[in-house]
Amino acid sequence: MKTKKKQNQKFNFYWIYGIIALFFVGMQVFSLMSNPVQKINKKQFFTDFLIEGEVEKVTIVNNEFVEVFIKALKLEKEKHKHITANKIRGKIGPHYYFNITSGEKFENDLKEFYLNNNVNPIEQIFPDVDTRKDVFGEMIGWLIPIIIMLFIWLYVMRRMSGGGPNNSIFNIGKSKAELFDKNTKQKINFKDVAGLEGAKEEVQEIVDFLKNPKKYTSLGGKIPKGVLLVGPPGTGKTLLAKAVAGEAKVPFFSLSGSDFVEMFVGVGASRVRDLFQTAKSKSPAIIFIDEIDAIGRSRGKNQITGANDERENTLNQLLTEMDGFGTNHHVIVIAATNRADVLDKALVRAGRFDRQIYIDLPELHERKEIFLVHTNNLKINKKLNLDFLAKQTPGFSGADIANLCNESALIAARKNKKTITKEDFLDAVDRIVGGVERKNKLMTEEERKIIAYHESGHATISWMLEHASPLVKVTIVPRGKSLGAAWYLPDERQITRVEQILDEICATLGGRAAEEIIFNKVSTGALSDLEKVSKQAKAMVLIYGFNKKIGNVTYYDSTGQESYFNKPYSEETAKTIDQEIKKIIEQEYTRAKKILTKHKKSLINLAELLLKKEVIFKEDLEKTLGERKWKEVEKININKLRS
């Protein structure tokens, strides 16, 4: 039954195309069958027909072509056998025709021909002149442009409404949600979602409520109306929704927030109504709206011309459907976004989205679980330690880890390996974080030396400071936009203290400090370092309240509504902020130079080793710098800095 219904819908859309094609084919067939007159040229007319005395008469039609009538007795000749069909149909001609530039010129050519061939005036024929109106041709002339415009209009409307026979202009107000039910093959379930334990518990409860509602309603509980999944991109919000679709034994409607957006007025609200109406007819059901911020942004902000009225109408309809008169309590809405701060307050209130589940970047043990999932189908080396890979990828989302596993497989295949090894994964990390290795980048020996000392400065200071991130490797091989890089393994901490930020700033400034100590000059290579430390120092003063002159005050606006032109502090405070930021950076720069001066010999040895090997690892640093001796380094007085 479903197949026949789809075929009927497809026929309902394509019947216009079939009629148009049939019309043109029929027109061509009719033209061929109704016009058996053979075309000749003017030379043939004079040399083959007229001079032989076979022409009975000629007619100049519309000053464009000449019709030739052959005498009945001459039609018996062999060369005229092909026009016998005219006699069968009872016609007496015309039998031939040829095109002319003008009727007057043809008459002059005819007179000249008679004169040159001494034709008896009695045997001469004079052309008739006929003006005809081609009604069929005129009809086609104005009908074809209309048909073409109709075809283009139908094509454009079909494209604008998503394509396909079910998404024609006549169905533009219908919902585009994709339905998953027990008959749909959905292979993803909660077992395929690694990590996200807290989030899985929340959504599992929703699924369990739909399966066993009496378990909760017997105690007076009510089903949540909406669940909002919030988190950075790539953390698994959509994947979790797919798992819900695979686990739930109820209809699951999936679509994106942008599917409601259309250029026509009222289409978005119409699609919302149709979506909930369909879901209510199949209740209990789940609706999943991905990237809901496309329609759920706060209303009335930055609206100058009223261009957002259509989006606001769509949002208003969504608000009404989720919690208004006649709301069906057996339809649950699950939405996902990474921009929860821009959503309208009426949308995220209790009663619409009762639960907000924050899905953060995976922790160490969660990354290991994600690696287990994505390496399941890969031919990895048996000696590969997934704990090591999890430690090497702090800050990676689930999507990043999936990409990493794929890149490592491609790298191993490029090297003609039979299994994927630890080195392939590390190369994939370098590829993703740093970019493609640029072996053809031309650098002078002096530039290589500057880069080597710059990176060695970073490595030396981070090795000597207690709270600086542990170093993994250093390289002077260009990757992406960088000419060299020092790779660190930052600690995964939830809060950060003052001394930790200061040690990171000092290590970041180690590159420029090394250039000044060795060459007594500085270069542009520290641009990204200066940008990083400026942001860190600014955060210490403006956001975290780490500066005593500014006090325990923060100027951070979590709503994102702060204007660049309306700063929340005075000009005098702004001047103090600039001074304190500069003070922090200069003090840490002096500290970096002091450390490198004390360990100048180690800095030089490390730079020479780096120039020789181009890539050095933690083991090389231990041989060159010895064990980490940060306790021997004179620490900065933090209380003095805050004063």
Side-chain angles (χ1 to χ4, degrees):
M1 292 295 292
K2 290 184 178 179
T3 306
K4 290 183 179 179
K5 186 177 181 181
K6 289 183 178 179
Q7 289 176 350
N8 291 335
Q9 290 175 342
K10 196 170 185 179
F11 173 78
N12 291 336
F13 185 80
Y14 287 111
W15 67 272
I16 297 178
Y17 298 146
I19 289 177
I20 293 173
L22 188 63
F23 173 77
F24 282 106
V25 171
M27 186 179 66
Q28 293 294 329
V29 173
F30 176 78
S31 177
L32 291 173
M33 293 183 65
S34 62
N35 187 24
V37 182
Q38 184 176 353
K39 183 179 180 181
I40 59 174
N41 55 49
K42 189 166 65 173
K43 184 179 179 182
Q44 284 180 287
F45 168 72
F46 285 114
T47 59
D48 294 348
F49 301 148
L50 190 59
I51 199 170
E52 297 290 338
E54 297 178 351
V55 179
E56 183 175 354
K57 69 173 182 176
V58 292
T59 304
I60 301 174
V61 181
N62 294 337
N63 214 25
E64 295 177 354
F65 62 92
V66 176
E67 292 181 338
V68 182
F69 295 79
I70 304 299
K71 294 177 181 178
L73 296 176
K74 302 294 185 181
L75 287 174
E76 302 299 331
K77 288 188 175 182
E78 184 66 28
K79 62 181 179 180
H80 300 307
K81 288 291 185 181
H82 60 279
I83 61 173
T84 308
N86 278 0
K87 292 179 69 175
I88 295 174
R89 296 189 183 96
K91 295 183 179 180
I92 58 173
H95 306 104
Y96 298 94
Y97 78 97
F98 58 90
N99 296 324
I100 57 174
T101 55
S102 71
E104 184 179 356
K105 186 176 185 305
F106 173 69
E107 290 180 358
N108 293 333
D109 292 341
L110 194 59
K111 292 177 182 178
E112 185 178 351
F113 175 81
Y114 289 147
L115 185 62
N116 294 335
N117 291 278
N118 297 319
V119 179
N120 191 336
I122 299 176
E123 298 178 356
Q124 294 180 9
I125 60 174
F126 298 95
D128 297 329
V129 178
D130 189 9
T131 302
R132 299 175 188 170
K133 287 186 177 181
D134 187 3
V135 178
F136 185 75
E138 290 180 0
M139 182 183 68
I140 294 300
W142 61 262
L143 191 59
I144 287 179
I146 294 177
I147 293 174
I148 292 175
M149 292 297 295
L150 178 63
F151 179 81
I152 294 174
W153 182 76
L154 289 172
Y155 178 78
V156 171
M157 292 300 102
R158 182 189 174 199
R159 296 286 295 179
M160 289 170 54
S161 57
N166 298 328
N167 291 325
S168 67
I169 186 62
F170 307 105
N171 293 325
I172 196 169
K174 299 295 184 180
S175 170
K176 294 184 177 182
E178 185 178 0
L179 175 61
F180 297 90
D181 53 20
K182 60 183 180 180
N183 297 321
T184 306
K185 293 183 179 179
Q186 178 56 255
K187 299 180 180 179
I188 298 177
N189 50 42
F190 288 132
K191 293 181 181 179
D192 299 316
V193 182
L196 308 180
E197 297 301 329
K200 282 196 290 186
E201 288 180 6
E202 294 277 358
V203 295
Q204 276 177 332
E205 185 176 313
I206 301 296
V207 174
D208 187 49
F209 191 101
L210 292 171
K211 290 181 178 179
N212 307 300
K214 291 184 180 180
K215 175 182 176 182
Y216 300 90
T217 56
S218 61
L219 300 175
K222 294 181 180 180
I223 186 171
K225 295 180 181 178
V227 178
L228 184 63
L229 306 178
V230 183
T235 49
K237 300 183 293 296
T238 306
L239 181 65
L240 190 61
K242 289 181 179 180
V244 173
E247 293 282 346
K249 302 301 181 182
V250 298
F252 186 95
F253 297 87
S254 174
L255 75 167
S256 171
S258 61
D259 288 336
F260 296 106
V261 181
E262 196 62 76
M263 67 174 290
F264 300 107
V265 177
V267 170
S270 175
R271 287 179 177 175
V272 172
R273 286 192 297 269
D274 183 70
L275 171 65
F276 278 85
Q277 184 178 359
T278 306
K280 289 174 185 177
S281 67
K282 296 179 178 292
S283 65
I286 298 175
I287 296 174
F288 173 63
I289 305 176
D290 201 4
E291 306 296 345
I292 195 174
D293 51 277
I295 58 169
R297 289 176 177 267
S298 297
R299 294 166 291 180
K301 292 184 178 179
N302 301 323
Q303 186 173 345
I304 299 175
T305 61
N308 294 328
D309 286 345
E310 176 61 18
R311 182 183 58 78
E312 290 190 2
N313 291 338
T314 306
L315 175 58
N316 291 336
Q317 186 63 43
L318 179 62
L319 296 176
T320 304
E321 294 290 347
M322 289 190 67
D323 188 22
F325 285 142
T327 301
N328 193 312
H329 296 280
H330 296 287
V331 176
I332 300 177
V333 180
I334 301 177
T337 181
N338 49 34
R339 298 288 308 281
D341 55 310
V342 303
L343 294 180
D344 194 272
K345 292 182 180 179
L347 182 64
V348 296
R349 73 160 174 84
R352 289 196 174 99
F353 284 107
D354 301 290
R355 297 183 181 182
Q356 291 190 27
I357 304 173
Y358 188 77
I359 302 178
D360 205 350
L361 293 171
E363 301 290 339
L364 179 63
H365 68 283
E366 292 177 326
R367 291 200 299 273
K368 181 181 178 181
E369 293 178 7
I370 296 172
F371 269 111
L372 281 170
V373 171
H374 291 295
T375 57
N376 189 35
N377 296 324
L378 298 180
K379 294 182 179 180
I380 60 174
N381 193 292
K382 294 182 179 180
K383 296 181 180 180
L384 183 63
N385 188 354
L386 295 183
D387 290 315
F388 172 79
L389 295 180
K391 291 178 181 178
Q392 294 295 318
T393 52
F396 274 49
S397 65
D400 293 330
I401 293 175
N403 185 35
L404 172 64
C405 294
N406 184 61
E407 285 288 342
S408 64
L410 297 178
I411 291 172
R414 200 176 300 130
K415 296 177 181 178
N416 297 320
K417 291 184 177 181
K418 294 183 178 180
T419 58
I420 307 170
T421 62
K422 169 184 172 182
E423 289 73 20
D424 299 321
F425 277 96
L426 293 178
D427 289 342
V429 172
D430 295 346
R431 169 70 178 82
I432 293 171
V433 177
V436 181
E437 183 177 328
R438 298 187 297 169
K439 297 181 180 180
N440 59 343
K441 187 71 175 176
L442 297 177
M443 289 191 297
T444 63
E445 192 62 33
E446 183 182 3
E447 288 176 333
R448 288 184 76 253
K449 193 173 182 181
I450 292 173
I451 296 169
Y453 276 97
H454 183 102
E455 300 301 336
S456 298
H458 288 309
T460 302
I461 292 185
S462 65
W463 194 258
M464 298 297 173
L465 295 181
E466 177 182 4
H467 301 293
S469 300
L471 197 71
V472 176
K473 75 173 184 178
V474 187
T475 176
I476 58 172
V477 177
R479 280 186 178 274
K481 294 182 179 180
S482 64
L483 299 176
W487 303 91
Y488 301 96
L489 194 61
D491 295 329
E492 296 185 49
R493 48 182 180 241
Q494 304 301 321
I495 59 174
T496 305
R497 299 192 301 273
V498 179
E499 55 267 27
Q500 293 170 335
I501 299 178
L502 293 177
D503 280 2
E504 289 177 3
I505 292 176
C506 184
T508 305
L509 292 170
R512 170 159 282 197
E515 290 183 35
E516 184 174 344
I517 291 172
I518 301 299
F519 305 104
N520 201 25
K521 297 177 183 178
V522 292
S523 69
T524 59
L527 174 60
S528 59
D529 299 335
L530 296 177
E531 181 184 7
K532 179 181 177 181
V533 299
S534 297
K535 289 181 179 178
Q536 288 177 311
K538 185 178 180 181
M540 290 180 66
V541 177
L542 278 176
I543 299 176
Y544 301 122
F546 285 163
N547 188 272
K548 199 165 186 178
K549 285 190 177 181
I550 301 300
N552 296 319
V553 178
T554 181
Y555 297 105
Y556 174 67
D557 184 8
S558 60
T559 63
Q561 301 301 317
E562 180 183 345
S563 173
Y564 178 81
F565 299 100
N566 298 322
K567 295 182 182 294
Y569 44 79
S570 64
E571 290 297 326
E572 184 179 350
T573 304
K575 185 177 180 180
T576 304
I577 290 171
D578 291 339
Q579 291 173 348
E580 293 304 307
I581 292 174
K582 184 178 179 182
K583 179 182 176 182
I584 293 173
I585 295 174
E586 292 302 324
Q587 196 163 356
E588 289 304 309
Y589 185 64
T590 303
R591 182 184 175 203
K593 290 196 293 184
K594 183 177 179 180
I595 296 172
L596 291 178
T597 302
K598 184 176 180 180
H599 300 275
K600 186 175 181 179
K601 185 176 180 181
S602 298
L603 172 66
I604 295 173
N605 292 337
L606 188 62
E608 293 298 327
L609 180 64
L610 190 57
L611 283 169
K612 182 180 178 181
K613 299 180 67 174
E614 289 192 336
V615 180
I616 57 175
F617 296 91
K618 180 180 177 181
E619 296 77 11
D620 299 309
L621 266 70
E622 289 177 346
K623 292 179 183 178
T624 306
L625 302 177
E627 296 182 4
R628 297 186 70 183
K629 299 180 180 180
W630 45 265
K631 292 182 180 180
E632 298 179 5
V633 179
E634 183 181 352
K635 297 183 182 179
I636 190 168
N637 191 331
I638 297 173
N639 294 325
K640 182 179 178 182
L641 175 67
R642 297 190 67 183
S643 64

